mmCIF file of all heavy atoms in Angstrom:
data_model
loop_
_atom_site.group_PDB
_atom_site.id
_atom_site.type_symbol
_atom_site.label_atom_id
_atom_site.label_comp_id
_atom_site.label_asym_id
_atom_site.label_seq_id
_atom_site.Cartn_x
_atom_site.Cartn_y
_atom_site.Cartn_z
ATOM 1 N N MET Z 1 -3.602 -7.651 18.438
ATOM 2 C CA MET Z 1 -3.045 -6.306 18.309
ATOM 3 C C MET Z 1 -4.130 -5.286 18.675
ATOM 4 O O MET Z 1 -4.842 -4.780 17.805
ATOM 5 C CB MET Z 1 -2.540 -6.077 16.879
ATOM 6 C CG MET Z 1 -1.391 -6.987 16.486
ATOM 7 S SD MET Z 1 -0.818 -6.758 14.784
ATOM 8 C CE MET Z 1 -2.200 -7.452 13.868
ATOM 9 N N PRO Z 2 -4.293 -5.014 19.961
ATOM 10 C CA PRO Z 2 -5.420 -4.178 20.409
ATOM 11 C C PRO Z 2 -5.346 -2.724 19.970
ATOM 12 O O PRO Z 2 -6.356 -2.018 20.056
ATOM 13 C CB PRO Z 2 -5.358 -4.301 21.941
ATOM 14 C CG PRO Z 2 -3.989 -4.773 22.252
ATOM 15 C CD PRO Z 2 -3.528 -5.560 21.083
ATOM 16 N N ARG Z 3 -4.193 -2.251 19.539
ATOM 17 C CA ARG Z 3 -4.085 -0.872 19.033
ATOM 18 C C ARG Z 3 -4.737 -0.818 17.647
ATOM 19 O O ARG Z 3 -4.102 -1.063 16.632
ATOM 20 C CB ARG Z 3 -2.629 -0.427 18.955
ATOM 21 C CG ARG Z 3 -1.990 -0.130 20.293
ATOM 22 C CD ARG Z 3 -0.568 0.372 20.137
ATOM 23 N NE ARG Z 3 -0.511 1.536 19.275
ATOM 24 C CZ ARG Z 3 0.301 1.628 18.217
ATOM 25 N NH1 ARG Z 3 1.063 0.606 17.860
ATOM 26 N NH2 ARG Z 3 0.328 2.732 17.497
ATOM 27 N N ARG Z 4 -6.002 -0.484 17.619
ATOM 28 C CA ARG Z 4 -6.766 -0.559 16.380
ATOM 29 C C ARG Z 4 -6.264 0.431 15.328
ATOM 30 O O ARG Z 4 -6.250 0.121 14.140
ATOM 31 C CB ARG Z 4 -8.249 -0.332 16.668
ATOM 32 C CG ARG Z 4 -8.844 -1.416 17.571
ATOM 33 C CD ARG Z 4 -10.340 -1.320 17.676
ATOM 34 N NE ARG Z 4 -10.882 -2.449 18.417
ATOM 35 C CZ ARG Z 4 -12.135 -2.873 18.339
ATOM 36 N NH1 ARG Z 4 -13.004 -2.237 17.562
ATOM 37 N NH2 ARG Z 4 -12.545 -3.910 19.034
ATOM 38 N N THR Z 5 -5.887 1.617 15.775
ATOM 39 C CA THR Z 5 -5.354 2.584 14.807
ATOM 40 C C THR Z 5 -4.035 2.082 14.220
ATOM 41 O O THR Z 5 -3.720 2.352 13.062
ATOM 42 C CB THR Z 5 -5.143 3.948 15.469
ATOM 43 O OG1 THR Z 5 -4.337 3.799 16.653
ATOM 44 C CG2 THR Z 5 -6.466 4.585 15.838
ATOM 45 N N GLY Z 6 -3.275 1.343 15.028
ATOM 46 C CA GLY Z 6 -2.031 0.765 14.521
ATOM 47 C C GLY Z 6 -2.293 -0.291 13.466
ATOM 48 O O GLY Z 6 -1.568 -0.399 12.482
ATOM 49 N N VAL Z 7 -3.350 -1.080 13.669
ATOM 50 C CA VAL Z 7 -3.738 -2.086 12.678
ATOM 51 C C VAL Z 7 -4.113 -1.423 11.358
ATOM 52 O O VAL Z 7 -3.655 -1.831 10.285
ATOM 53 C CB VAL Z 7 -4.914 -2.940 13.196
ATOM 54 C CG1 VAL Z 7 -5.442 -3.859 12.093
ATOM 55 C CG2 VAL Z 7 -4.480 -3.766 14.400
ATOM 56 N N LEU Z 8 -4.942 -0.383 11.433
ATOM 57 C CA LEU Z 8 -5.358 0.312 10.210
ATOM 58 C C LEU Z 8 -4.174 0.999 9.539
ATOM 59 O O LEU Z 8 -4.048 0.969 8.308
ATOM 60 C CB LEU Z 8 -6.451 1.334 10.538
ATOM 61 C CG LEU Z 8 -7.014 2.118 9.346
ATOM 62 C CD1 LEU Z 8 -7.600 1.172 8.305
ATOM 63 C CD2 LEU Z 8 -8.071 3.118 9.809
ATOM 64 N N ALA Z 9 -3.300 1.599 10.345
ATOM 65 C CA ALA Z 9 -2.124 2.266 9.779
ATOM 66 C C ALA Z 9 -1.228 1.257 9.061
ATOM 67 O O ALA Z 9 -0.704 1.531 7.972
ATOM 68 C CB ALA Z 9 -1.344 2.979 10.877
ATOM 69 N N ALA Z 10 -1.042 0.082 9.663
ATOM 70 C CA ALA Z 10 -0.210 -0.946 9.039
ATOM 71 C C ALA Z 10 -0.837 -1.431 7.740
ATOM 72 O O ALA Z 10 -0.136 -1.622 6.731
ATOM 73 C CB ALA Z 10 -0.019 -2.116 10.002
ATOM 74 N N LYS Z 11 -2.146 -1.628 7.745
ATOM 75 C CA LYS Z 11 -2.834 -2.033 6.515
ATOM 76 C C LYS Z 11 -2.642 -0.965 5.432
ATOM 77 O O LYS Z 11 -2.395 -1.289 4.259
ATOM 78 C CB LYS Z 11 -4.324 -2.239 6.782
ATOM 79 C CG LYS Z 11 -4.671 -3.508 7.552
ATOM 80 C CD LYS Z 11 -6.178 -3.653 7.715
ATOM 81 C CE LYS Z 11 -6.551 -4.906 8.496
ATOM 82 N NZ LYS Z 11 -6.205 -6.149 7.784
ATOM 83 N N ALA Z 12 -2.763 0.301 5.816
ATOM 84 C CA ALA Z 12 -2.626 1.394 4.854
ATOM 85 C C ALA Z 12 -1.220 1.452 4.269
ATOM 86 O O ALA Z 12 -1.041 1.640 3.060
ATOM 87 C CB ALA Z 12 -2.982 2.719 5.527
ATOM 88 N N ILE Z 13 -0.208 1.262 5.127
ATOM 89 C CA ILE Z 13 1.176 1.328 4.652
ATOM 90 C C ILE Z 13 1.486 0.182 3.685
ATOM 91 O O ILE Z 13 2.080 0.384 2.621
ATOM 92 C CB ILE Z 13 2.148 1.307 5.847
ATOM 93 C CG1 ILE Z 13 2.016 2.605 6.657
ATOM 94 C CG2 ILE Z 13 3.591 1.124 5.372
ATOM 95 C CD1 ILE Z 13 2.759 2.581 7.979
ATOM 96 N N VAL Z 14 1.092 -1.030 4.066
ATOM 97 C CA VAL Z 14 1.356 -2.196 3.203
ATOM 98 C C VAL Z 14 0.600 -2.069 1.892
ATOM 99 O O VAL Z 14 1.149 -2.312 0.806
ATOM 100 C CB VAL Z 14 0.968 -3.496 3.934
ATOM 101 C CG1 VAL Z 14 1.045 -4.686 2.985
ATOM 102 C CG2 VAL Z 14 1.879 -3.717 5.135
ATOM 103 N N LEU Z 15 -0.668 -1.677 1.969
ATOM 104 C CA LEU Z 15 -1.474 -1.507 0.757
ATOM 105 C C LEU Z 15 -0.899 -0.423 -0.137
ATOM 106 O O LEU Z 15 -0.809 -0.593 -1.362
ATOM 107 C CB LEU Z 15 -2.911 -1.167 1.146
ATOM 108 C CG LEU Z 15 -3.876 -0.867 -0.002
ATOM 109 C CD1 LEU Z 15 -4.081 -2.102 -0.873
ATOM 110 C CD2 LEU Z 15 -5.215 -0.362 0.546
ATOM 111 N N ALA Z 16 -0.499 0.696 0.452
ATOM 112 C CA ALA Z 16 0.079 1.788 -0.338
ATOM 113 C C ALA Z 16 1.365 1.351 -1.022
ATOM 114 O O ALA Z 16 1.616 1.696 -2.178
ATOM 115 C CB ALA Z 16 0.331 2.995 0.568
ATOM 116 N N GLY Z 17 2.186 0.576 -0.302
ATOM 117 C CA GLY Z 17 3.431 0.097 -0.904
ATOM 118 C C GLY Z 17 3.190 -0.807 -2.096
ATOM 119 O O GLY Z 17 3.825 -0.657 -3.148
ATOM 120 N N LEU Z 18 2.265 -1.758 -1.941
ATOM 121 C CA LEU Z 18 1.950 -2.665 -3.047
ATOM 122 C C LEU Z 18 1.369 -1.904 -4.241
ATOM 123 O O LEU Z 18 1.730 -2.156 -5.393
ATOM 124 C CB LEU Z 18 0.963 -3.735 -2.588
ATOM 125 C CG LEU Z 18 1.530 -4.963 -1.885
ATOM 126 C CD1 LEU Z 18 0.409 -5.895 -1.475
ATOM 127 C CD2 LEU Z 18 2.529 -5.692 -2.772
ATOM 128 N N THR Z 19 0.466 -0.969 -3.955
ATOM 129 C CA THR Z 19 -0.147 -0.195 -5.036
ATOM 130 C C THR Z 19 0.883 0.689 -5.720
ATOM 131 O O THR Z 19 0.841 0.879 -6.945
ATOM 132 C CB THR Z 19 -1.295 0.670 -4.489
ATOM 133 O OG1 THR Z 19 -2.199 -0.151 -3.746
ATOM 134 C CG2 THR Z 19 -2.054 1.340 -5.618
ATOM 135 N N LEU Z 20 1.802 1.237 -4.933
ATOM 136 C CA LEU Z 20 2.860 2.075 -5.505
ATOM 137 C C LEU Z 20 3.704 1.284 -6.493
ATOM 138 O O LEU Z 20 4.009 1.766 -7.595
ATOM 139 C CB LEU Z 20 3.734 2.633 -4.382
ATOM 140 C CG LEU Z 20 4.878 3.563 -4.814
ATOM 141 C CD1 LEU Z 20 4.333 4.846 -5.430
ATOM 142 C CD2 LEU Z 20 5.767 3.892 -3.609
ATOM 143 N N VAL Z 21 4.066 0.064 -6.115
ATOM 144 C CA VAL Z 21 4.886 -0.769 -7.001
ATOM 145 C C VAL Z 21 4.099 -1.162 -8.255
ATOM 146 O O VAL Z 21 4.577 -0.985 -9.380
ATOM 147 C CB VAL Z 21 5.373 -2.030 -6.262
ATOM 148 C CG1 VAL Z 21 6.062 -2.989 -7.235
ATOM 149 C CG2 VAL Z 21 6.325 -1.641 -5.132
ATOM 150 N N ALA Z 22 2.896 -1.697 -8.059
ATOM 151 C CA ALA Z 22 2.083 -2.116 -9.205
ATOM 152 C C ALA Z 22 1.725 -0.935 -10.089
ATOM 153 O O ALA Z 22 1.765 -1.027 -11.326
ATOM 154 C CB ALA Z 22 0.810 -2.812 -8.717
ATOM 155 N N GLY Z 23 1.379 0.194 -9.463
ATOM 156 C CA GLY Z 23 1.027 1.378 -10.238
ATOM 157 C C GLY Z 23 2.196 1.924 -11.033
ATOM 158 O O GLY Z 23 2.035 2.363 -12.176
ATOM 159 N N SER Z 24 3.378 1.899 -10.446
ATOM 160 C CA SER Z 24 4.565 2.389 -11.146
ATOM 161 C C SER Z 24 4.872 1.536 -12.374
ATOM 162 O O SER Z 24 5.164 2.045 -13.456
ATOM 163 C CB SER Z 24 5.773 2.391 -10.197
ATOM 164 O OG SER Z 24 5.564 3.263 -9.116
ATOM 165 N N VAL Z 25 4.795 0.216 -12.186
ATOM 166 C CA VAL Z 25 5.028 -0.695 -13.312
ATOM 167 C C VAL Z 25 3.970 -0.480 -14.391
ATOM 168 O O VAL Z 25 4.287 -0.407 -15.590
ATOM 169 C CB VAL Z 25 5.016 -2.160 -12.841
ATOM 170 C CG1 VAL Z 25 5.087 -3.120 -14.030
ATOM 171 C CG2 VAL Z 25 6.174 -2.414 -11.889
ATOM 172 N N ALA Z 26 2.714 -0.354 -13.975
ATOM 173 C CA ALA Z 26 1.617 -0.201 -14.929
ATOM 174 C C ALA Z 26 1.740 1.097 -15.721
ATOM 175 O O ALA Z 26 1.603 1.111 -16.949
ATOM 176 C CB ALA Z 26 0.278 -0.237 -14.183
ATOM 177 N N VAL Z 27 2.000 2.195 -15.030
ATOM 178 C CA VAL Z 27 2.081 3.506 -15.694
ATOM 179 C C VAL Z 27 3.298 3.575 -16.607
ATOM 180 O O VAL Z 27 3.206 4.069 -17.740
ATOM 181 C CB VAL Z 27 2.108 4.625 -14.636
ATOM 182 C CG1 VAL Z 27 2.499 5.958 -15.274
ATOM 183 C CG2 VAL Z 27 0.752 4.745 -13.961
ATOM 184 N N LEU Z 28 4.444 3.092 -16.126
ATOM 185 C CA LEU Z 28 5.647 3.123 -16.958
ATOM 186 C C LEU Z 28 5.470 2.263 -18.201
ATOM 187 O O LEU Z 28 5.796 2.677 -19.319
ATOM 188 C CB LEU Z 28 6.856 2.642 -16.150
ATOM 189 C CG LEU Z 28 8.191 2.598 -16.910
ATOM 190 C CD1 LEU Z 28 8.555 3.978 -17.426
ATOM 191 C CD2 LEU Z 28 9.296 2.039 -16.016
ATOM 192 N N ALA Z 29 4.935 1.056 -18.019
ATOM 193 C CA ALA Z 29 4.716 0.172 -19.163
ATOM 194 C C ALA Z 29 3.731 0.776 -20.143
ATOM 195 O O ALA Z 29 3.933 0.721 -21.363
ATOM 196 C CB ALA Z 29 4.211 -1.190 -18.672
ATOM 197 N N SER Z 30 2.667 1.379 -19.633
ATOM 198 C CA SER Z 30 1.668 1.989 -20.507
ATOM 199 C C SER Z 30 2.268 3.140 -21.295
ATOM 200 O O SER Z 30 2.028 3.284 -22.501
ATOM 201 C CB SER Z 30 0.478 2.478 -19.681
ATOM 202 O OG SER Z 30 -0.547 2.973 -20.507
ATOM 203 N N ALA Z 31 3.065 3.978 -20.613
ATOM 204 C CA ALA Z 31 3.690 5.113 -21.297
ATOM 205 C C ALA Z 31 4.634 4.652 -22.396
ATOM 206 O O ALA Z 31 4.666 5.236 -23.497
ATOM 207 C CB ALA Z 31 4.434 5.981 -20.281
ATOM 208 N N LEU Z 32 5.400 3.603 -22.135
ATOM 209 C CA LEU Z 32 6.370 3.113 -23.120
ATOM 210 C C LEU Z 32 5.678 2.406 -24.290
ATOM 211 O O LEU Z 32 6.069 2.578 -25.447
ATOM 212 C CB LEU Z 32 7.356 2.160 -22.443
ATOM 213 C CG LEU Z 32 8.291 2.790 -21.403
ATOM 214 C CD1 LEU Z 32 9.156 1.719 -20.751
ATOM 215 C CD2 LEU Z 32 9.162 3.876 -22.040
#
């Protein structure tokens, strides 16, 4: 995948999605 910015963008999107899910579960559980 020679489009290097595309590689970094894809990594950022996938990482953000995983963190969003884990963070949402963590924060909601902590609040409750």
Side-chain angles (χ1 to χ4, degrees):
M1 296 178 289
R3 286 183 56 232
R4 297 189 174 202
T5 53
V7 172
L8 181 58
K11 286 182 181 294
I13 292 170
V14 172
L15 176 65
L18 276 179
T19 308
L20 181 65
V21 172
S24 297
V25 173
V27 168
L28 179 60
S30 185
L32 293 177

